[in-house]
Amino acid sequence: MAQTSDQVSAAAPKRPGGWLGMVADWSSDQRSFKGVSWGKAMMWIFLVSDTFVFGCFLLSYMTARMSTTVPWPNASKVFGLHIGGADIPLILIAIMTFVLISSSGSMALAVNYAYRKNRQATALLLIVTALLGAAFVGMQAFEWTKLISEGVRPWGNPWGAPQFGASFFMITGFHGTHVTFGVIFLLIVARKVWRGDYDDGRRGFFTSRRGHYESVEIMGLYWHFVDLVWVFIFAFFYLW
Amino acid sequence: MVNMVDASPQVAENISAAEVPEVELYHPKSYWTKYIFSQDAKVIAIQYSGTAIAIGLVALVLSWLIRLQLGFPGTFDFITPEAYYQFITMHGMIMVVYLLTALFLGGFGNYLIPLMVGARDMVFPYANMLSFWIYLLAVLVLVVSFFAPGGPTGAGWTLYPPQAIMSGTPGGQQMGIILMLVSLILFIIGFTMGGLNYVVTVLQGRTRGMTLMRMPLTVWGIFTATVMALLAFPALIVAAVMMLFDRLLSTSFFMPALVEFGEQLEYGGGSPILFQHLFWFFGHPEVYIVALPAFGIVSDLISTHARKNIFGYRMMVWAIVGIGAMSFIVWAHHMYVSGMDPYFGFFFATTTLIIAVPTAIKVYNWVLTLWRGDIHLNVPMLFAIGFIVTFVNGGLTGLFLGNVVVDVPLSDTMFVVAHFHMVMGVAPIMVIMGAIYHWYPKVTGRMTIDWMGRFHFWVTFVGSYLIFFPMHYVGLVGVPRRYPELGDATFVTDSLHTLNAFISVAALIVGFAQLVFLFNLFWSLRHGKEAGGNPWRATTLEWQTSETPPIHGNFGKELPIVYRWSYDYSVPGAPEDFIAQNDPGPTKEEAAR
């Protein structure tokens, strides 16, 4: 794949900035987003579409919560843990959120090292990111197990509106699936970086296109998106 | 007729250098990778179109069965009320999603976008290939539901809960509804892969000199529709997932507390209205996802066959974009009778009527393009004109239904059925047929048989009016939709039965005329006369390829450079009545002479 951002011809003519620049870019030929590779544009547009998916999930959950006549379970009690003789509300979610946000940090560092073509550091940071992501999914599995053992089911729970369990499993499950896919792809990208695929432009197994370090950044876009979505789930499901 | 900006083309020096180096294409090595698991957008387009038309034939047969029941109730024993519901459900779903959406975006989008913007292929050929195979899988799951125990779902194409997943509805407590929802989810996943391709190809993959405002309106229509689909399908996939949970895991997202056959069901506390909002947030943009590619394609057909530039190109582009944006804030006009707040209905009635403005602009511009044009009544042109007339007819009844007070008595009558069949059934299908006749020479290298095309057009056009004009009247009298029989209601007269039988006969005839169309397509493959590269003498890039049909990679060694917009027809002083987009025009020396 040759259309990556650091290979944009250096002789590009000067373009105006600000709004005028945007108008100029959109009225120009070839590309509407100058200097943006195909892969990156695709990821951004996919993320907009995925935003609508999560938006619909969250709006549906809010509708269900607002229209049900049965009281909604108290989130800070349901999601609390009994540690060392004290009930600590939301502690597991706090740790999960901390872990996931931290993984965004290691991802950002990985992107930085990728553009410096530092193979070891990039691969290491990608693996750290994947491990943090896996830890998040693991803790989510723990949370699911705990709630299921307490009697929460998609069709009902001991504390109130049955839509609580339904929305919980659906939304966190859908987000967890996103994180899981992210972890898998992080590991694939880490392997490619480690093996030096992006240095010698080795061809992808499926697409037969040459790899490039920009893939790390595109991977990062997806990962940061998954984190951002979690912030909204955290706010609307756990804190509300 | 001279466009001030583009009639004097940019000289070659003003075309900016290539920003993106050529990307290597995947080179297929065997028959399998060349024709079956192909990554060439043109092959994928034909695969998409073939699958869509094949499943569309199923929908055609279903429509015959529907009409046989309505026209001659009680004559056919195998059409039970349950079977009738299954027929209307599957007919609607197949036509809207699996035929129209897939054919316009997957079929025409794949074939035309790369060729028209001057790209060698879609930007991600591998994902594009996956898109088709997942679509095929979705179609197969849909077909399987016909043979599943209990048959396909009979919930109506809108799949409204709670009835969609209850035992009184065919397939509700059997496999039907499950397979339907799984098929929709697969379709959306597959479509997303293709859709991202179409959008990125248009935005980032154009050739030198091809600005957005020089793209043919076909590309604008397909592009805008794809963006809309990427934003509207999420609502459907969410609704499908939630309903699947309601059905399989006994959640109550959409299910209120219910008593069925004297028995309290486990459900409770869900909102059926929530489903309607999600469904129509997808469903209304879907109408325009089908309409906008048709708008774009018909603009190009009219301009080419009237040998005249499209009237008000910029307005046409902005109308497409405006309709696309507006279509996201009109959805609740499908729900006036759901018990919503009157102020809410007032808002949606207002937006619905406002969206008629850009639509009317487009109709004016088509008519003004025809005005004093050098109209060649070729088969594609006949269908294009047929589209304009039909679309205006269907659109006008839309104004009735967009107003709350007029809609309430008309809601759920055959008037609605007649309305949407005119505006998003017959009209876009006219464009599809016109487009197939128009681009068939490029795809196959041969012309279709002209007399068969004309026969096909006149039977289809006149026949559609014989079907749907009386149907408006049937609805106004008060006949509800989705009833397999009229029964003994007092408003049902003998003449109404006669009219229904007449509609059914017309529908059968129109249906058989489509077989002539298909025969024409297959026959012409061998026996059509050689078309040459540019039989319609059109300006856009797909007609300027060195080979017909275009080879893998679309263009020769060099990608074409675009010097002008796509509508330079009948330019005064030009040697021919069209100037191709990649024609640089006379050099300075020639112009000076």
Side-chain angles (χ1 to χ4, degrees):
Chain A
M1 199 153 65
Q3 72 291 350
T4 40
S5 59
D6 61 348
Q7 291 179 4
V8 171
S9 65
K14 240 192 249 168
R15 299 196 316 273
W19 286 101
L20 281 178
M22 202 180 93
V23 172
D25 284 357
W26 281 76
S27 12
S28 73
D29 64 351
Q30 303 180 54
R31 291 195 287 184
S32 302
F33 301 106
K34 298 292 175 192
V36 177
S37 72
W38 292 345
K40 205 195 271 186
M42 188 220 67
M43 181 53 82
W44 273 111
I45 295 164
F46 168 72
L47 293 181
V48 172
S49 184
D50 215 16
T51 305
F52 271 60
V53 174
F54 278 106
C56 288
F57 270 126
L58 284 173
L59 281 169
S60 302
Y61 145 70
M62 290 178 212
T63 314
R65 179 162 177 170
M66 286 191 297
S67 57
T68 180
T69 52
V70 190
W72 198 259
N74 182 349
S76 61
K77 268 194 193 141
V78 173
F79 298 115
L81 281 185
H82 191 77
I83 303 174
D87 282 318
I88 308 174
L90 291 175
I91 177 70
L92 182 62
I93 311 306
I95 298 171
M96 282 169 69
T97 308
F98 180 76
V99 165
L100 201 62
I101 304 282
S102 308
S103 77
S104 253
S106 59
M107 186 72 233
L109 286 174
V111 173
N112 190 321
Y113 279 110
Y115 279 123
R116 298 167 190 223
K117 303 197 194 300
N118 185 335
R119 277 198 303 124
Q120 273 94 351
T122 310
L124 200 68
L125 282 161
L126 284 171
I127 289 170
V128 168
T129 311
L131 286 177
L132 288 170
F136 176 87
V137 177
M139 282 187 274
Q140 193 161 53
F142 172 75
E143 185 189 30
W144 276 42
T145 317
K146 174 176 170 284
L147 288 179
I148 290 170
S149 71
E150 287 169 0
V152 183
R153 297 288 184 276
W155 53 87
N157 62 71
W159 311 295
Q163 280 78 17
F164 172 80
S167 309
F168 172 77
F169 288 120
M170 184 179 70
I171 292 176
T172 59
F174 201 73
H175 178 264
T177 311
H178 272 72
V179 178
T180 310
F181 275 108
V183 169
I184 293 168
F185 278 95
L186 278 170
L187 293 175
I188 293 173
V189 174
R191 176 164 176 261
K192 283 171 177 264
V193 170
W194 187 260
R195 204 167 52 180
D197 286 12
Y198 297 149
D199 289 321
D200 53 21
R202 184 174 167 143
R203 289 174 188 281
F205 180 75
F206 286 112
T207 61
S208 78
R209 286 211 169 153
R210 293 191 185 283
H212 194 272
Y213 272 108
E214 197 187 26
S215 302
V216 179
E217 191 192 348
I218 296 172
M219 181 68 234
L221 289 176
Y222 175 81
W223 193 255
H224 295 313
F225 169 78
V226 171
D227 283 7
L228 184 64
V229 166
W230 177 254
V231 172
F232 282 92
I233 295 174
F234 180 67
F236 288 123
F237 206 93
Y238 294 91
L239 293 186
W240 180 13
Chain B
M1 262 183 258
V2 178
N3 181 291
M4 295 308 286
V5 181
D6 282 295
S8 57
Q10 286 178 13
V11 285
E13 303 91 72
N14 284 355
I15 302 281
S16 54
E19 293 172 23
V20 182
E22 286 254 6
V23 176
E24 289 170 75
L25 288 172
Y26 171 78
H27 294 294
K29 291 176 192 73
S30 68
Y31 178 85
W32 282 89
T33 46
K34 201 167 177 188
Y35 296 109
I36 310 294
F37 294 102
S38 173
Q39 299 189 22
D40 182 352
K42 294 185 294 299
V43 179
I44 295 169
I46 292 165
Q47 290 172 327
Y48 248 116
S49 309
T51 314
I53 293 173
I55 193 72
L57 284 177
V58 175
L60 178 70
V61 173
L62 290 174
S63 75
W64 287 344
L65 296 172
I66 294 167
R67 278 322 308 184
L68 283 178
Q69 169 64 20
L70 287 176
F72 313 99
T75 316
F76 302 93
D77 289 336
F78 67 97
I79 310 180
T80 57
E82 288 77 23
Y84 177 81
Y85 292 138
Q86 292 171 327
F87 296 164
I88 58 165
T89 305
M90 286 295 133
H91 170 76
M93 198 57 101
I94 291 173
M95 290 304 289
V96 173
V97 177
Y98 299 88
L99 173 68
L100 285 170
T101 309
L103 190 51
F104 268 126
L105 303 182
F108 289 109
N110 265 318
Y111 205 91
L112 295 176
I113 289 175
L115 276 164
M116 281 185 155
V117 302
R120 297 223 180 264
D121 204 329
M122 287 290 181
V123 286
F124 306 110
Y126 185 79
N128 208 21
M129 175 183 76
L130 280 187
S131 166
F132 167 71
W133 289 100
I134 298 177
Y135 165 66
L136 183 65
L137 188 64
V139 170
L140 289 178
V141 172
L142 188 81
V143 170
V144 163
S145 79
F146 281 94
F147 304 100
T153 174
W157 89 278
T158 49
L159 304 178
Y160 276 5
Q163 51 92 18
I165 56 173
M166 289 174 67
S167 59
T169 306
Q173 279 297 312
Q174 288 136 321
M175 286 307 286
I177 186 71
I178 298 174
L179 290 171
M180 181 77 253
L181 295 171
V182 169
S183 173
L184 281 175
I185 291 171
L186 285 171
F187 180 88
I188 294 168
I189 294 171
F191 171 78
T192 305
M193 294 185 166
L196 291 170
N197 253 313
Y198 316 152
V199 172
V200 178
T201 305
V202 170
L203 287 180
Q204 303 290 88
R206 283 166 281 136
T207 188
R208 296 168 63 195
M210 179 61 88
T211 64
L212 288 174
M213 280 301 188
R214 282 176 172 180
M215 291 197 304
L217 285 166
T218 299
V219 179
W220 265 110
I222 295 173
F223 167 69
T224 314
T226 310
V227 173
M228 291 164 61
L230 288 174
L231 302 180
F233 276 127
L236 182 65
I237 201 170
V238 167
V241 167
M242 288 166 76
M243 195 192 273
L244 213 50
F245 282 7
D246 277 4
R247 169 70 178 75
L248 292 174
L249 300 178
S250 311
T251 58
S252 297
F253 289 113
F254 302 136
M255 300 296 279
L258 286 162
V259 175
E260 190 181 45
F261 299 122
E263 212 179 305
Q264 169 87 39
L265 298 183
E266 288 177 8
Y267 296 114
S271 165
I273 302 292
L274 171 61
F275 177 86
Q276 296 188 18
H277 280 295
L278 286 172
F279 183 86
W280 288 114
F281 185 80
F282 144 78
H284 196 84
E286 171 66 23
V287 173
Y288 288 99
I289 290 166
V290 170
L292 289 184
F295 291 173
I297 289 171
V298 89
S299 308
D300 283 359
L301 297 192
I302 286 174
S303 177
T304 306
H305 294 275
R307 316 306 301 165
K308 219 183 122 184
N309 61 339
I310 194 77
F311 187 90
Y313 172 82
R314 273 159 205 276
M315 247 336 130
M316 293 297 255
V317 171
W318 288 116
I320 287 178
V321 175
I323 293 169
M326 291 273 313
S327 71
F328 280 93
I329 48 168
V330 298
W331 78 89
H333 66 211
H334 296 272
M335 301 164 56
Y336 286 152
V337 293
S338 71
M340 63 163 71
D341 190 302
Y343 288 109
F344 202 53
F346 174 73
F347 170 80
F348 281 99
T350 311
T351 52
T352 303
L353 298 184
I354 291 174
I355 207 173
V357 174
T359 317
I361 289 176
K362 296 196 75 70
V363 175
Y364 283 125
N365 285 355
W366 290 323
V367 174
L368 285 168
T369 306
L370 288 170
W371 177 256
R372 304 186 66 183
D374 175 13
I375 297 175
H376 294 49
L377 283 178
N378 299 317
V379 177
M381 185 61 152
L382 289 174
F383 277 101
I385 295 173
F387 162 82
I388 299 176
V389 178
T390 312
F391 186 73
V392 169
N393 268 307
L396 287 176
T397 50
L399 294 179
F400 290 50
L401 298 171
N403 284 291
V404 185
V405 284
V406 190
D407 175 74
V408 169
L410 288 174
S411 188
D412 275 327
T413 64
M414 292 302 271
F415 187 86
V416 178
V417 176
H419 157 71
F420 69 69
H421 273 91
M422 279 299 237
V423 80
M424 77 168 293
V426 178
I429 287 175
M430 289 262 182
V431 175
I432 284 181
M433 285 158 178
I436 289 176
Y437 284 113
H438 183 78
W439 278 292
Y440 187 88
K442 181 47 72 177
V443 179
T444 65
R446 289 178 188 272
M447 305 297 283
T448 50
I449 311 293
D450 195 56
W451 71 264
M452 280 196 229
R454 285 172 196 279
F455 173 80
H456 172 222
F457 168 75
W458 285 109
V459 175
T460 308
F461 181 71
V462 176
S464 303
Y465 279 77
L466 294 180
I467 298 168
F468 292 111
F469 263 3
M471 202 184 281
H472 286 91
Y473 170 74
V474 172
L476 279 175
V477 173
V479 175
R481 68 192 281 203
R482 292 186 176 171
Y483 278 36
E485 281 186 65
L486 295 180
D488 296 324
T490 45
F491 66 85
V492 180
T493 56
D494 280 347
S495 64
L496 205 54
H497 283 296
T498 318
L499 197 57
N500 248 338
F502 173 80
I503 294 174
S504 295
V505 172
L508 290 173
I509 294 172
V510 171
F512 281 110
Q514 309 316 310
L515 301 182
V516 176
F517 170 55
L518 286 181
F519 176 77
N520 191 353
L521 294 187
F522 283 111
W523 180 261
S524 308
L525 221 48
R526 279 283 176 86
H527 306 278
K529 74 173 189 287
E530 295 274 351
N534 191 359
W536 309 117
R537 300 155 54 73
T539 57
T540 42
L541 290 180
E542 81 273 25
W543 300 104
Q544 322 304 333
T545 55
S546 45
E547 275 92 4
T548 298
I551 47 163
H552 185 48
N554 291 348
F555 300 97
K557 221 168 164 210
E558 295 288 319
L559 282 172
I561 298 175
V562 172
Y563 296 96
R564 59 189 70 243
W565 72 336
S566 31
Y567 298 99
D568 267 342
Y569 291 103
S570 306
V571 176
E576 287 195 83
D577 71 343
F578 74 103
I579 311 177
Q581 278 193 280
N582 59 348
D583 184 343
T587 59
K588 275 181 193 157
E589 298 84 61
E590 282 170 347
R593 242 181 288 145

